[in-house]
Amino acid sequence: DILVQPKGTELAAVIRLCRKYDVPYQVIGNGSNLLVGDRGIRGLVIEMLSKEDEICVEDDCITVGAGMLLSKTANRAAEHGLTGMEFAAGIPGRIGGAVVMNAGAYGGEMKDILTAVTVLDQEGNEKILSAEELELGYRTSCILKKGYIVTGAKIKLKHGEETAIRARMEKQPLEYPSAGSTFKRPEGYFAGKLIMDAGLRGYLVGEAQVSEKHCGFVINRGNATAADVRTLMQNVADIVEEKFGVRLEPEVKMIGEF
């Protein structure tokens, strides 16, 4: 119903107003891990954005705003010859969302590089949490459980050589758009292989499709609705469970009204 893009201290004021008047709110970053219901989102959506000057590099540490793109942060690290963030160069999200879900790819994840995170609590008060306090696990953290909003992060990397760092970044397959992995990795298995082995490569519901290139991804062929995608995900999970006894859990977060 309402979209707000707060700057600086405006965020705390917005949260306090929502609490005061009992207005539901949803915080988003780049939206790349979200499936939004076709009927939209009730209440307030707060979109976290950061300007270029919200990346500060000091020696081997980077302090960055929650609304900064991971790709821009990884590129800034490479410019300064800092290694350890190459895994994030192709993740289409922002720092805040990456912290919340402990985003990862290609053998690296946020918990490997985070040292501290700044958050607002549900009353709009600022807190600084250490990496240990975040309870970072596989696609999880304490932030969602406690209703915190990430406003910034401090990342510690290692000194390296820019040419080698960029070579590692360029090896990642960025030529195809996607919302990332659709399902979490089940313990002892790979979601994409289970889906492929169930004969679901290219499986369609409306114009939503299990990717023929990588079965762990669901793509939009053009005019898929959120309902198409959700139905496809439910069908895939049911078929995989029936065939292999393993229940796939969504990694994509569903918000809004379906």
Side-chain angles (χ1 to χ4, degrees):
D1 299 315
I2 304 169
L3 174 69
V4 179
Q5 297 168 321
K7 299 179 181 70
T9 57
E10 291 174 351
L11 176 61
V14 170
I15 298 302
R16 291 191 184 106
L17 281 169
C18 288
R19 300 279 293 174
K20 181 177 179 180
Y21 293 104
D22 201 26
V23 175
Y25 63 88
Q26 175 80 49
V27 181
I28 68 168
N30 207 36
S32 51
N33 191 43
L34 302 179
L35 179 63
V36 180
D38 299 308
R39 294 167 59 200
I41 302 169
R42 300 289 68 80
L44 198 73
V45 170
I46 300 170
E47 183 182 10
M48 300 293 286
L49 299 171
S50 292
K51 292 184 287 189
E52 291 293 333
D53 61 5
E54 289 185 63
I55 305 181
C56 177
V57 182
E58 292 182 34
D59 193 24
D60 61 354
C61 290
I62 298 178
T63 305
V64 58
M68 187 59 63
L69 288 168
L70 285 167
S71 55
K72 284 192 176 178
T73 312
N75 270 298
R76 186 67 62 85
E79 284 171 16
H80 286 80
L82 294 175
T83 181
M85 203 174 172
E86 292 90 327
F87 74 88
I91 299 175
R94 300 187 189 275
I95 290 288
V99 171
V100 171
M101 66 174 292
N102 186 27
Y106 310 107
E109 53 188 353
M110 293 301 291
K111 77 172 185 178
D112 301 333
I113 58 175
L114 282 170
T115 61
V117 171
T118 308
V119 301
L120 291 184
D121 66 17
Q122 293 189 23
E123 307 303 323
N125 301 310
E126 187 172 275
K127 297 175 180 284
I128 297 176
L129 304 177
S130 68
E132 294 74 26
E133 290 174 298
L134 291 170
E135 299 171 22
L136 296 166
Y138 177 64
R139 303 299 176 262
T140 186
S141 69
C142 74
I143 293 167
L144 282 177
K145 300 174 212 165
K146 296 186 176 179
Y148 292 158
I149 299 173
V150 177
T151 59
K154 188 169 185 180
I155 293 165
K156 186 171 175 63
L157 302 170
K158 293 178 180 174
H159 292 287
E161 203 277 313
E162 182 177 358
T163 306
I165 293 165
R166 292 206 179 276
R168 286 191 289 274
M169 288 163 65
E170 286 164 9
K171 284 179 183 174
Q172 299 177 16
L174 309 181
E175 63 270 32
Y176 299 106
S178 85
S181 298
T182 304
F183 297 100
K184 294 179 181 177
R185 185 179 67 242
E187 194 170 342
Y189 298 91
F190 291 99
K193 187 171 189 315
L194 288 169
I195 294 166
M196 182 176 67
D197 291 349
L200 294 169
R201 182 190 294 274
Y203 174 69
L204 278 162
V205 171
E207 291 202 27
Q209 182 181 39
V210 173
S211 171
E212 295 179 285
K213 293 183 180 296
H214 189 313
C215 292
F217 291 62
V218 173
I219 62 170
N220 183 345
R221 292 290 300 268
N223 294 302
T225 63
D228 289 340
V229 177
R230 186 172 71 163
T231 299
L232 182 146
M233 289 171 64
Q234 289 171 338
N235 292 353
V236 166
D238 289 344
I239 293 166
V240 167
E241 185 173 29
E242 185 181 328
K243 286 183 177 285
F244 304 113
V246 179
R247 186 70 190 179
L248 296 177
E249 299 295 333
E251 185 166 312
V252 172
K253 185 181 176 188
M254 299 186 199
I255 63 173
E257 296 183 359
F258 283 81

